[in-house]
Amino acid sequence: MISREKHDRMANAIRFLSMDAVEKANSGHPGLPMGAADIATVLFTRFLSFDPKTPSWPNRDRFVLSAGHGSMLLYSLLYLTGYEDITIDEIKNFRQLGARTAGHPEYGHAAGIETTTGPLGQGIANAVGMALAERKLRDEFGADLMEHYTYVIAGDGCLMEGISQEAIALAGHLKLNKLIVFWDDNNISIDGPISIADSTDQHARFRACQWHTIAVDGHDPDAIAAAIEEAQKSDKPTMIACKTTIGFGAPNKAGTHKVHGSPLGAEEIAATRKALNWESEAFAVPSDVLDAWRLAGLRSTKAHKEWDARLEKTEAEKKAQFVRRFAGELESGLDPAISAYKKKLAETKPNPATRKASEDALEVINGVLLETIGGSADLTGSNNTKTSQTKSITPTDFSGRYIHYGVREHGMAAAMNGMALHGGLIPYSGGFLIFSDYCRPSIRLAALMGIRVIHVLTHDSIGLGEDGPTHQPVEHMAALRAIPNLLVFRPADATETAEVWQLALESHNRPSAIALTRQNLMPVRLEYEEENLSARGAYDLVSASDAKVTIFASGSEIEIAVKAQQALSAKGISTRVVSVPCVELFAEQPEAYQKAVIGNSPVKIAVEAGIRQGWDHFIGSDGIFVGMSSFGASGPYKELYKHFGITPEAVVAAAEAKLG
Amino acid sequence: MISREKHDRMANAIRFLSMDAVEKANSGHPGLPMGAADIATVLFTRFLSFDPKTPSWPNRDRFVLSAGHGSMLLYSLLYLTGYEDITIDEIKNFRQLGARTAGHPEYGHAAGIETTTGPLGQGIANAVGMALAERKLRDEFGADLMEHYTYVIAGDGCLMEGISQEAIALAGHLKLNKLIVFWDDNNISIDGPISIADSTDQHARFRACQWHTIAVDGHDPDAIAAAIEEAQKSDKPTMIACKTTIGFGAPNKAGTHKVHGSPLGAEEIAATRKALNWESEAFAVPSDVLDAWRLAGLRSTKAHKEWDARLEKTEAEKKAQFVRRFAGELESGLDPAISAYKKKLAETKPNPATRKASEDALEVINGVLLETIGGSADLTGSNNTKTSQTKSITPTDFSGRYIHYGVREHGMAAAMNGMALHGGLIPYSGGFLIFSDYCRPSIRLAALMGIRVIHVLTHDSIGLGEDGPTHQPVEHMAALRAIPNLLVFRPADATETAEVWQLALESHNRPSAIALTRQNLMPVRLEYEEENLSARGAYDLVSASDAKVTIFASGSEIEIAVKAQQALSAKGISTRVVSVPCVELFAEQPEAYQKAVIGNSPVKIAVEAGIRQGWDHFIGSDGIFVGMSSFGASGPYKELYKHFGITPEAVVAAAEAKLG
C-alpha cells in the first residue's frame, strides 16, 4: 500500500519531469501532465497490468493518452516505471530531432506508446478498437489468454471532436465494459474556460450512449482508486470524470489556460518547487521515489509469468494460432488459396464489379485467415464486405467477425487502428470512396504509425451514377495517394482485385485503401499468372513493340484503355496499355523497370475517372489526360462517362490528334 | 384549417410523386419521403414562412433536408408549393443527366434547395450555421428585418455521424432556439434495424447538449403541429423525435430496410395505390390536392410584402448595408484600404509569420467589412483570427463577430457553409492546416456549392516544429489543391497575405483555403505594386533574362528560393524565381501567360515543404523537386528544414548538379 505522502511524491515526480522537460525544450504542454499526475499515479501503481521488461506482452492492459499533447505524462510514466526505451536523456531531449520523446506520443518510437495521439479524439476511438479486439479475442481464445482492461485519459478537446462521439456510441452499444475512460475535467481549453465554447453535460451524454459514469476529485488517490474498482465491476464502459486543476502545483498559473501549452518559465517552476516541497534539481528524481516507481513497474511480473505458463499449456494448434496472429504473420495456406482462385478466374473470366470481386476474394481469404475482422459503416450490401464466414458481432455475442459500425466512418477507421495496434486481428472496413474524407485523419494516422488496416472503398468514381456529385469521388484517388506510406489500390478486374487483397494483407507495416467499382467490368487479365503482377504497381497489360501510343490507366478505365488500344491497333497505330493498380508500389520498383514501363512512346495518355494530379509522373506535363477536371453529375453512369468524355473514342481521337 | 383527410391526401401526393419518380429512374430512396411526408406536410402547410415566387427572400424560414438521400421529399414539396424551377417534367427526370432533380439535393440546381445534402450529418450542421446567422443578423439588424426559424429533417445516419454531434453541442451552447430539428425516428438504416449498430438514447443525448426534446407520432399531423408550436416557444434549440414508418403506405415493404434505397417495384406501388386509396396515375396530382398545395405556397405572401415594406422604411444606411450584404457585394472601401495597407508594408517591410500577417490584414478588412464573422476551433491565439473588431459571441450576446467553435473543426466548417448559404455574412475560420482533414467533407461541399467561406489554416508545414508529424501537414496542400473549385492560397509574406485575403473575399462563388506559417518570414515583395500580383496565381518574383534556372516556390519556401537565386546569380548562373501563391488561379490565366511564366529554363526546380504531387505541371516529370516525401518529425523547425534538405544550399547544389 502506498501512503498518501508517497503517492504525492510519486505524482510530483511526473509533474517535475514534465515541467522541466517542457522548460528545457522551450515548447510543450505542462498543464495536462501536472493536472493528471494523480490519476496516472493511481492507475500505474495500483491497477495497470503491464511489464516494462516485455512491453509487447499481448495480455497487458492498454493505456492510451488520448490527450496526446500531454505527452510528457506518458514519457514520465515510461521512464519512471522502467521502460528501457525512455531514459532520462530521452526526457531531457524532449521534442528534439531524433529523440524518442516527440512532441506528441509516436507509436513505434518507444515501447509502451500504444498509439500515436495528438489529433484530438483519435486516442479514445483507438481505445474503443482495442477494447473491441480484447473482447473479440477473449471470446475466441478464452480469458486464460486474453482478458485485460483498456484505459484512456481524454481531455475536453477529445470529447468535443465528433470522432469521439462516434466511438463512444459504438462502445456503449457493444457494451465494452473493460474500457475505462478518465476524463481530465479541468474546465480549461486553449481559448480559455470551457464555458466559452461548450455547455455539455458530459455525464448525461455518456449515459445516453449507454456508459456508466462516475465523478471524482482527480487529486484524491483513494477516490480515484475506488472509482476504478467500481468501473471494473460495471457491465458497461465507464467514464470517470476527474475534476482536476490544470497545471496542479504551479502557484500562479495553475487552473488557467496559460499553463496549457507553454513552458511555465523559470520563476514559476521555482515557485512550484517551493509549493510542492520538491528539492531535487531538474531531471533528478529522489531515489526513494524512483525506487517506488520501479517497484510499481514490477507489479505485474508475476501475472505475466502465470500468463506465460498458461500459454505454454495451451493446446498446440490454438497456441500456434495465437502466437502467429500476435506476430502479425499470415497463414501459409493463403498464397495457394489465392493462386487457386486466380486460376479459376482465368478459366471462368467473370465480369463482376470489383466490389463483388472483392467479396469473392474475401470469401477465399476469410476462409484461410481467422484474424480478419470485417465491417461497414452501414453500407454492408453496397460494400460487399460480408462473407459466409463473418457472422455479425452483437453486444452479447462476439463469436462473429463482422462489425456493423453504423454511419460512423471516422469512428470505424480509428477503431480499426486500435484493433490493429492491439494485435491478433486484421481489420478491414467498408465504405464509399467519397467518405474516405470522413475518416481521413485516421487513415493518415494508420500510415504514420505503419499499421495494417485495410479500407474497402467502393463506388469509386462517377461510375456510381445517379447518386451524383456528393457521392462521386473525383479527387479522392489523388488525395489518398498524397498520404505517405499508404498503399492505394485500384484494381481493374477480378484477378487484380485478388492480387491487391493479397498485397494489402502482406503489407504488415502500412495501411491499404482499395478503390472498387459499383459497375461491372470486363475481365482484362485473361491468362493465369502465378506472379502477382499488381505487386509491381504498374505493368504492361498489352505490350507492343515500338509503340507509338502508350495508355496508362487504372481500375474501371482499363476497359476503356484496352478498347482504345484495339481501335488504334486496328488502324495500324502500335499501342501499349499499362495497368496501374498501385502508384506507390510502382514508385518502389527499380529505376530501370520504371523507365521501361513508362517507355518513350511519342504519345502518352493517362485515363482515370478522377483528376489529373499525379499522372504527370507517367505521361509528362505535355501528356494527354482523359479524366475529370470538375465535380461529377447525377445520371446513369454510361451517360456520365460520355458526358465527361471518358470513352475509348475520346482516347483514340486524342491520340490521333497528337500524332497529327 | 386543413382537414385530416385533406392532409392525408396532400401527404400522399408527396408519397406517390416520390415512389413514382424513384421507380421511373430505377434508382433512389423512396422510404424517407414516404415516411416523413406527414411531417413535411404539416411544416409546409402550417408553419414554414417562404415564398416560392421570390425564393431568395432573406427573411424566409430555412428548411434543410439533412437526410439528403430523401431528395424526392424536397423536390415534391418544391413542385407542389409552386417553385418554378421544379416542374413535373423535372420530377419525371429525377436522377437524369442535366435534370435539376439530382440524386441528392444540389444547391444552385433549383431555388428552394437551401443547401447540398447527402453526405450525412452535413445538413444539420449547415442548419446550425443558418440559425447562428439568423441570430447574429437579428441582433445586428433587428427583428423587423431578420427573424425566422430554421427547420431540419435529419435521420439516424445524420445523428450517428460525429459532425452532427459537434454541431448539436455548439447549437445547444449558443442557445439557438429558432433551430428546430425533426428526427425521422424510423428505426431503420441501410444495414437493417438501428439496433444492430446503435443503442443511443437520442433524447438524453440532445438534452445533455442543452436542447429541448419532444416525442411525437410522426404520422399524427396535430401532434406534429403541437410539437412545432412548443418548439417555437422554447429558449433552447429543439429536437422533435417523430416516430415514423419508413416507406409509410407500402403494404409489404414499409417499416423495413428494403424500402430505404431501392425502387418499390410496380407490384408494390400498385398495392400502395390501393392501400392509400390513390387513383391518380403516376406523376398526376389530383387538382384539389395540387390547389391546396399551391395555396400553401402562397401562405407567406402577405408576410413577405409586410417585410418588404419594413425594409423600404428602414434607415437608408442600414438598408443599404443589409441589401449589399445579402447581394454578396463587398464595400467599395475595401480595395483602397488594402492598397493603403500594402503601401505601408512596402515602406516598413515587416517580417511577420504569415499567420500574424493575416491578422494584420484582417484588422484592415474587418474595419471595412461588417459582415466578416471569424472564429477558431479553440486555437485563437495560434490562428491569429481575432482582431480588435471581433468581440466574442456568447450565448446571451450576439453583438460580437467571433465564434469560439470549440475543438470542432468539422462542425465549424459546416456551420460556416450554413452561414454563407444563409447570406449576410462572410465566415472565416481558424484552424491548423493539418486539421483541414478533419473538416474536409465540408470544405468539399463548399466547393461543390460554390459558396464563399474562407478557411484560415495556420502552422502550414514542418515549419511548426516541435509538435511533430501528427501536426505537420505534408500532403495537405496537394490534397486541398485536388478539390475542384477550391482556391488554395499559400502566401509568401505580408504583402502576398494581404493580396490573397483580397482574392478570397472577392471570390463570391467559391471557397478559399489560406495556408499560413507559424514561423516568421522575410519580406520578399519589397516594392509597392497597385496590382494584386497574387491574382495571377503565379508570377515572376525575381526575373532574369535567359535564365538557366527557374525556381518555383510558395509560402515559406519563397525565402529559400530567393536565397538560392542570389547564390546562383552570384556564381554567374542566371536564375528566376516564380512565386506560386495559388495554383488554381494560375491555371485560369491565358495560355500564353502560363507558358511565359513556366518558361524554358534548362533547369526547373520547385520548392515546397510538402509533397511533389502537382508540381510536375510546373517543372515537368524530369524537374527537380525540393520538398518532402515522407512524414515530418518533431524538433526545432530550422533543424527540420536542414534534416529534410529543404535549404537554399540544397537548391543550389541540385541546380549545379543538373547543369553539370
Side-chain angles (χ1 to χ4, degrees):
Chain A
M1 190 63 194
I2 293 168
S3 70
R4 177 62 195 255
E5 192 211 340
K6 179 57 70 68
H7 166 91
D8 288 346
R9 282 166 58 75
M10 292 174 81
N12 287 340
I14 296 173
R15 294 191 173 100
F16 284 97
L17 285 173
S18 299
M19 73 183 97
D20 289 333
V22 170
E23 190 70 14
K24 182 159 187 288
N26 195 27
S27 163
H29 299 76
L32 185 137
M34 296 171 74
D38 290 309
I39 304 166
T41 301
V42 171
L43 180 64
F44 274 67
T45 61
R46 304 201 211 174
F47 294 93
L48 197 77
S49 183
F50 67 116
D51 184 352
K53 302 302 168 206
T54 319
S56 61
W57 174 28
N59 198 40
R60 70 192 180 277
D61 287 341
R62 303 302 194 271
F63 171 71
V64 173
L65 181 64
S66 190
H69 52 277
S71 55
M72 269 310 305
L73 177 71
L74 181 56
Y75 302 145
S76 299
L77 288 163
L78 297 181
Y79 164 65
L80 291 167
T81 56
Y83 283 81
E84 283 173 14
D85 285 347
I86 302 292
T87 61
I88 195 69
D89 283 337
E90 289 288 347
I91 302 276
K92 289 179 187 170
N93 273 321
F94 179 51
R95 289 184 157 236
Q96 303 311 302
L97 188 56
R100 295 178 189 274
T101 47
H104 293 82
E106 304 273 343
Y107 174 73
H109 276 216
I113 301 174
E114 300 280 7
T115 180
T116 294
T117 52
L120 294 176
Q122 297 287 337
I124 185 172
N126 295 161
V128 170
M130 292 175 185
L132 208 169
E134 185 271 344
R135 179 73 181 81
K136 164 68 195 157
L137 295 169
R138 177 151 39 98
D139 188 278
E140 187 173 356
F141 290 100
D144 270 4
L145 292 187
M146 185 56 54
E147 184 171 31
H148 68 77
Y149 292 98
T150 300
Y151 297 97
V152 179
I153 293 182
D156 286 290
C158 291
L159 302 186
M160 285 195 269
E161 291 284 7
I163 180 178
S164 69
Q165 298 305 318
E166 296 181 18
I168 287 163
L170 183 64
H173 171 68
L174 290 175
K175 297 185 193 300
L176 300 176
N177 67 324
K178 288 183 177 289
L179 174 62
I180 299 173
V181 173
F182 302 94
W183 167 36
D184 181 31
D185 178 16
N186 61 25
N187 290 101
I188 293 291
S189 71
I190 293 175
D191 275 9
I194 287 294
S195 59
I196 69 170
D198 194 41
S199 305
T200 302
D201 178 341
Q202 296 290 3
H203 286 271
R205 187 145 73 152
F206 271 93
R207 284 197 303 265
C209 294
Q210 311 305 331
W211 284 54
H212 179 53
T213 77
I214 307 170
V216 296
D217 172 353
H219 300 299
D220 178 342
D222 290 339
I224 296 164
I228 296 173
E229 281 166 13
E230 180 182 329
Q232 289 183 341
K233 288 176 200 135
S234 172
D235 60 354
K236 301 174 172 182
T238 299
M239 185 277 279
I240 304 174
C242 302
K243 184 60 81 181
T244 62
T245 301
I246 190 169
F248 180 93
N252 305 303
K253 295 187 174 178
T256 76
H257 67 110
K258 289 177 199 160
V259 81
H260 169 87
S262 311
L264 294 180
E267 197 177 326
E268 181 74 356
I269 288 181
T272 311
R273 278 196 150 67
K274 210 164 185 178
L276 295 181
N277 197 23
W278 190 260
E279 294 177 358
S280 304
E281 61 188 23
F283 304 110
V285 178
S287 60
D288 66 310
V289 175
L290 187 58
D291 287 349
W293 268 115
R294 291 287 155 91
L295 267 174
L298 298 173
R299 278 180 36 254
S300 310
T301 311
K302 183 159 164 271
H304 185 182
K305 277 193 180 146
E306 290 166 358
W307 182 89
D308 281 343
R310 290 199 299 277
L311 180 65
E312 272 316 300
K313 277 188 223 152
T314 301
E315 183 268 318
E317 196 174 329
K318 183 173 162 188
K319 180 184 161 193
Q321 173 87 210
F322 186 92
V323 170
R324 176 185 68 75
R325 284 164 57 176
F326 270 89
E329 304 298 335
L330 300 174
E331 282 283 4
S332 59
L334 181 65
D335 288 347
I338 288 179
S339 291
Y341 172 62
K342 278 171 64 180
K343 271 181 199 151
K344 203 184 90 188
L345 291 174
E347 283 160 20
T348 56
K349 299 185 179 35
N351 70 334
T354 47
R355 60 175 171 150
K356 179 69 176 79
S358 169
E359 180 184 337
D360 295 343
L362 274 170
E363 185 70 30
V364 174
I365 292 160
N366 289 340
V368 178
L369 300 180
L370 300 180
E371 62 264 45
T372 51
I373 183 159
S376 170
D378 196 40
L379 291 167
T380 295
S382 300
N383 300 145
N384 299 64
T385 40
K386 203 165 190 296
T387 66
S388 67
Q389 304 90 348
T390 56
K391 195 175 70 167
S392 296
I393 282 172
T394 75
T396 52
D397 180 2
F398 277 71
S399 64
R401 289 167 55 189
Y402 192 85
I403 302 164
H404 292 280
Y405 287 102
V407 189
R408 303 181 181 109
E409 297 85 0
H410 207 174
M412 170 174 71
M416 287 165 63
N417 289 355
M419 283 187 263
L421 289 161
H422 181 279
L425 296 171
I426 301 176
Y428 68 85
S429 73
F432 285 165
L433 177 56
I434 191 88
F435 297 133
S436 60
D437 277 354
Y438 269 72
C439 53
R440 192 170 165 86
S442 298
I443 296 175
R444 181 181 205 264
L445 282 166
L448 178 59
M449 291 191 273
I451 55 174
R452 179 171 50 189
V453 296
I454 304 171
H455 285 277
V456 175
L457 301 164
T458 69
H459 295 57
D460 76 348
S461 75
I462 54 168
L464 68 83
E466 290 88 347
D467 274 343
T470 53
H471 284 58
Q472 289 164 355
V474 165
E475 73 277 25
H476 295 72
M477 291 303 297
L480 288 172
R481 286 172 183 149
I483 299 177
N485 203 38
L486 172 68
L487 295 179
V488 186
F489 295 107
R490 191 162 184 257
D493 70 357
T495 299
E496 275 197 6
T497 304
E499 288 182 344
V500 307
W501 261 110
Q502 189 174 27
L503 293 166
L505 291 164
E506 287 171 353
S507 299
H508 299 251
N509 299 316
R510 47 185 166 177
S512 297
I514 306 178
L516 300 166
T517 67
R518 174 177 187 250
Q519 74 273 26
N520 287 355
L521 299 181
M522 78 176 197
V524 292
R525 284 277 296 279
L526 303 175
E527 304 301 324
Y528 172 72
E529 303 256 7
E530 173 63 21
E531 187 189 342
N532 185 326
L533 295 181
S534 302
R536 302 184 190 182
Y539 64 90
D540 269 37
L541 181 69
V542 181
S543 300
S545 58
D546 194 26
K548 292 280 169 293
V549 178
T550 299
I551 310 174
F552 303 86
S554 80
S556 41
E557 284 68 69
I558 285 289
E559 180 170 331
I560 291 170
V562 168
K563 286 176 180 167
Q565 177 271 330
Q566 289 164 348
L568 286 164
S569 297
K571 295 181 182 205
I573 302 169
S574 175
T575 302
R576 287 167 69 219
V577 175
V578 176
S579 180
V580 189
C582 183
V583 169
E584 296 77 21
L585 289 178
F586 180 65
E588 294 172 6
Q589 299 304 305
E591 207 179 316
Y593 177 76
Q594 289 191 51
K595 279 199 171 165
V597 168
I598 288 178
N600 41 27
S601 301
V603 178
K604 290 179 186 165
I605 305 178
V607 193
E608 189 170 72
I611 60 167
R612 177 172 184 143
Q613 191 175 299
W615 281 102
D616 284 1
H617 180 65
F618 290 86
I619 58 175
S621 47
D622 57 346
I624 297 165
F625 182 70
V626 175
M628 301 291 292
S629 60
S630 68
F631 291 109
S634 173
Y637 81 91
K638 289 181 182 172
E639 290 182 37
L640 294 177
Y641 268 90
K642 273 185 202 146
H643 177 74
F644 289 105
I646 307 171
T647 61
E649 295 74 26
V651 174
V652 169
E656 288 185 315
K658 183 99 172 190
L659 284 169
Chain B
M1 190 62 195
I2 293 167
S3 70
R4 176 64 195 253
E5 192 210 341
K6 179 56 70 69
H7 166 91
D8 288 346
R9 281 165 58 76
M10 291 174 81
N12 286 341
I14 295 172
R15 294 191 173 100
F16 284 97
L17 285 173
S18 299
M19 74 183 96
D20 289 333
V22 170
E23 189 70 13
K24 181 158 187 289
N26 194 28
S27 162
H29 300 75
L32 185 137
M34 296 171 74
D38 291 309
I39 304 165
T41 300
V42 171
L43 179 65
F44 275 67
T45 61
R46 304 201 211 176
F47 293 93
L48 197 77
S49 182
F50 67 115
D51 184 352
K53 303 301 167 206
T54 319
S56 61
W57 174 30
N59 200 38
R60 70 193 179 278
D61 288 341
R62 304 301 194 272
F63 171 71
V64 173
L65 181 65
S66 190
H69 53 276
S71 55
M72 270 310 305
L73 176 71
L74 181 56
Y75 301 145
S76 300
L77 289 163
L78 296 181
Y79 164 65
L80 291 167
T81 56
Y83 284 81
E84 284 174 11
D85 284 348
I86 302 292
T87 61
I88 194 70
D89 284 337
E90 289 287 347
I91 302 276
K92 289 179 187 169
N93 272 322
F94 178 53
R95 291 185 157 235
Q96 302 310 301
L97 188 56
R100 295 178 189 274
T101 46
H104 293 82
E106 303 273 343
Y107 174 74
H109 276 216
I113 301 174
E114 300 281 7
T115 180
T116 294
T117 51
L120 294 177
Q122 297 287 337
I124 185 171
N126 295 161
V128 169
M130 293 175 184
L132 207 170
E134 186 272 344
R135 179 73 181 81
K136 164 68 194 156
L137 295 170
R138 177 150 41 97
D139 187 277
E140 186 172 358
F141 291 99
D144 270 4
L145 292 187
M146 186 56 54
E147 184 171 32
H148 67 78
Y149 292 97
T150 300
Y151 297 97
V152 179
I153 294 183
D156 286 290
C158 291
L159 301 187
M160 284 195 269
E161 290 285 7
I163 180 179
S164 68
Q165 298 305 318
E166 295 180 17
I168 287 163
L170 183 65
H173 170 69
L174 290 174
K175 297 186 194 298
L176 300 177
N177 67 324
K178 288 183 177 290
L179 174 62
I180 299 174
V181 173
F182 301 95
W183 166 36
D184 181 32
D185 177 17
N186 63 23
N187 288 101
I188 292 292
S189 71
I190 293 175
D191 275 7
I194 288 294
S195 60
I196 68 171
D198 195 40
S199 305
T200 302
D201 178 340
Q202 296 289 3
H203 286 271
R205 187 146 73 152
F206 271 93
R207 284 198 301 265
C209 295
Q210 311 305 331
W211 284 55
H212 179 52
T213 76
I214 307 170
V216 296
D217 173 353
H219 301 298
D220 178 342
D222 289 338
I224 296 164
I228 296 173
E229 281 165 12
E230 180 182 327
Q232 290 183 340
K233 288 177 201 135
S234 172
D235 61 353
K236 300 175 172 183
T238 299
M239 185 277 278
I240 304 175
C242 302
K243 184 60 81 182
T244 62
T245 302
I246 191 168
F248 180 92
N252 306 303
K253 294 187 174 176
T256 75
H257 68 110
K258 289 176 199 160
V259 81
H260 169 87
S262 311
L264 295 179
E267 197 177 327
E268 182 75 353
I269 289 181
T272 310
R273 278 195 150 65
K274 210 165 187 178
L276 294 181
N277 197 22
W278 189 262
E279 293 178 358
S280 304
E281 60 189 22
F283 303 109
V285 178
S287 60
D288 67 311
V289 174
L290 188 58
D291 287 349
W293 268 114
R294 292 286 154 92
L295 266 175
L298 298 172
R299 278 179 37 252
S300 310
T301 311
K302 182 159 164 273
H304 185 182
K305 277 192 182 146
E306 290 166 358
W307 183 89
D308 281 343
R310 290 199 298 277
L311 179 65
E312 272 316 300
K313 279 189 223 152
T314 301
E315 182 270 318
E317 197 173 330
K318 182 173 162 188
K319 180 183 162 193
Q321 172 89 211
F322 186 92
V323 170
R324 176 185 70 74
R325 283 165 55 175
F326 270 89
E329 304 299 335
L330 300 174
E331 282 283 4
S332 60
L334 181 65
D335 288 346
I338 288 179
S339 291
Y341 173 62
K342 278 171 64 180
K343 270 181 199 150
K344 203 185 91 189
L345 291 175
E347 284 160 20
T348 56
K349 300 188 178 33
N351 70 334
T354 47
R355 61 173 172 151
K356 179 69 176 76
S358 169
E359 180 184 338
D360 295 342
L362 274 170
E363 185 71 30
V364 174
I365 292 161
N366 289 340
V368 178
L369 301 179
L370 300 180
E371 62 264 43
T372 50
I373 182 161
S376 170
D378 195 40
L379 291 167
T380 295
S382 300
N383 301 144
N384 298 64
T385 41
K386 204 163 190 297
T387 66
S388 69
Q389 304 90 349
T390 56
K391 196 176 69 169
S392 296
I393 282 173
T394 76
T396 52
D397 180 0
F398 276 73
S399 64
R401 289 166 57 189
Y402 193 85
I403 302 165
H404 292 281
Y405 286 103
V407 189
R408 303 181 181 110
E409 298 85 1
H410 206 174
M412 170 175 70
M416 288 165 63
N417 289 355
M419 283 187 262
L421 289 161
H422 181 279
L425 296 171
I426 301 176
Y428 68 84
S429 72
F432 285 165
L433 177 56
I434 192 89
F435 298 133
S436 61
D437 276 354
Y438 269 71
C439 53
R440 192 170 165 87
S442 298
I443 296 175
R444 182 181 205 263
L445 282 166
L448 177 58
M449 291 191 272
I451 56 175
R452 178 170 50 190
V453 296
I454 304 172
H455 286 275
V456 175
L457 301 164
T458 70
H459 295 59
D460 75 348
S461 75
I462 53 168
L464 67 84
E466 291 88 346
D467 273 344
T470 54
H471 285 57
Q472 289 164 354
V474 166
E475 73 278 25
H476 295 72
M477 291 303 296
L480 288 172
R481 287 172 182 148
I483 298 176
N485 203 40
L486 172 68
L487 294 179
V488 186
F489 295 106
R490 191 162 185 258
D493 70 357
T495 299
E496 277 198 5
T497 304
E499 288 183 345
V500 307
W501 260 111
Q502 189 175 28
L503 293 167
L505 291 164
E506 287 171 353
S507 298
H508 299 250
N509 298 317
R510 47 185 165 176
S512 297
I514 306 178
L516 301 166
T517 66
R518 174 176 187 252
Q519 73 274 26
N520 286 356
L521 300 182
M522 77 176 195
V524 293
R525 285 276 296 280
L526 303 176
E527 304 301 325
Y528 172 72
E529 303 257 8
E530 174 64 22
E531 186 190 341
N532 185 325
L533 295 180
S534 302
R536 302 184 189 181
Y539 63 91
D540 268 37
L541 181 70
V542 181
S543 300
S545 59
D546 193 27
K548 292 281 169 294
V549 178
T550 300
I551 310 175
F552 303 86
S554 80
S556 42
E557 284 68 69
I558 286 288
E559 180 169 332
I560 291 169
V562 168
K563 287 177 179 165
Q565 177 271 332
Q566 289 164 348
L568 286 165
S569 298
K571 296 182 183 204
I573 301 170
S574 175
T575 302
R576 289 166 70 219
V577 175
V578 176
S579 181
V580 189
C582 183
V583 169
E584 296 77 23
L585 289 178
F586 181 64
E588 293 172 8
Q589 300 304 304
E591 207 178 318
Y593 178 77
Q594 289 191 50
K595 279 199 170 163
V597 169
I598 288 179
N600 41 26
S601 301
V603 178
K604 290 181 185 162
I605 305 178
V607 194
E608 189 170 71
I611 60 167
R612 177 173 184 140
Q613 194 173 297
W615 282 101
D616 284 1
H617 179 65
F618 290 85
I619 58 173
S621 48
D622 57 346
I624 297 166
F625 181 71
V626 175
M628 301 290 293
S629 60
S630 68
F631 293 108
S634 173
Y637 81 92
K638 289 181 183 174
E639 290 181 37
L640 294 177
Y641 269 89
K642 273 186 202 146
H643 176 73
F644 290 107
I646 308 173
T647 61
E649 296 73 27
V651 174
V652 169
E656 289 185 314
K658 183 98 170 191
L659 285 168

